[in-house]
Amino acid sequence: MENNENFLESCLFFNTNALSRYLLKLAEKEFASLNLSPAHASLMLLVYDTPGISPKELSHRLNLTPSTITRFVDALVKKGFVNRKSKGKAAFISPTAKGLELKSPVALSYKNLYLKYTKILGTDSANKLSFTILNANKKLSQFIVDDEKKF
């Protein structure tokens, strides 16, 4: 049993998934009052910054499948937070007036989330960890892209 524990302690896959679950619990509490999931809030930030953004660009920037983006946008349209306008086969997502009312609260929730986890982890450690994970994600993403080109 101890060998399995040691393996899991040094397993990047296991540890990043556990970290993700802990951070998700913190984030869900922060965004609950807005009636938004953390993932929906992330999409809203991109829509605020880039009104008229395409689902393809959202998919790329959030690292989510197109079908997941479609579900997210559908849910946000239903809540009245975004509009989807189509031109031919292309679609463009923009915030509604109701969605824009959430811009400051979404930003505040993200700030509170940051403050909470940096208080727990320490600001320097949290920032270093974030940049380390970002760089690892870039390398792994490139590896997967290169690997898929082989087939």
Side-chain angles (χ1 to χ4, degrees), residues 124-135:
D124 193 47
S125 292
N127 289 335
K128 284 181 182 176
L129 181 59
S130 181
F131 286 110
T132 299
I133 292 170
L134 173 67
N135 288 326

Side-chain angles (χ1 to χ4, degrees), residues 98-133:
K98 183 178 178 182
L100 286 170
E101 291 174 9
L102 287 178
K103 186 175 181 176
S104 291
V106 166
L108 181 61
S109 291
Y110 261 107
K111 180 179 179 180
N112 289 338
L113 175 61
Y114 173 80
L115 292 173
K116 189 171 285 182
Y117 71 71
T118 56
K119 182 178 181 184
I120 296 165
L121 300 174
T123 302
D124 193 47
S125 292
N127 289 335
K128 284 181 182 176
L129 181 59
S130 181
F131 286 110
T132 299
I133 292 170

Side-chain angles (χ1 to χ4, degrees), residues 9 23 32 36 41 44 47 53-54 61-62 66 68 73-74 77 83 94 102-103 110 121 126 136 141 146:
E9 286 177 1
L23 287 172
L36 282 176
M44 290 299 297
V47 171
I53 192 168
S54 71
R61 294 189 54 195
L62 292 171
T68 299
V73 170
D74 288 346
V77 166
N83 285 324
S94 296
L102 287 178
K103 186 175 181 176
Y110 261 107
L121 300 174
S141 173
D146 292 345

Side-chain angles (χ1 to χ4, degrees), residues 31-111:
F31 292 100
S33 66
L34 302 179
N35 195 26
L36 282 176
S37 71
H40 288 162
S42 297
L43 187 145
M44 290 299 297
L45 285 179
L46 291 173
V47 171
Y48 295 141
D49 288 346
T50 318
I53 192 168
S54 71
K56 183 177 180 176
E57 182 64 17
L58 286 169
S59 176
H60 172 73
R61 294 189 54 195
L62 292 171
N63 196 27
L64 296 170
T65 63
S67 63
T68 299
I69 294 299
T70 298
R71 283 195 327 273
F72 284 8
V73 170
D74 288 346
L76 293 169
V77 166
K78 188 175 181 179
K79 290 181 179 187
F81 297 150
V82 299
N83 285 324
R84 177 184 0 215
K85 296 198 177 178
S86 298
K87 286 187 178 179
K89 291 186 177 186
F92 305 95
I93 314 304
S94 296
T96 62
K98 183 178 178 182
L100 286 170
E101 291 174 9
L102 287 178
K103 186 175 181 176
S104 291
V106 166
L108 181 61
S109 291
Y110 261 107
K111 180 179 179 180

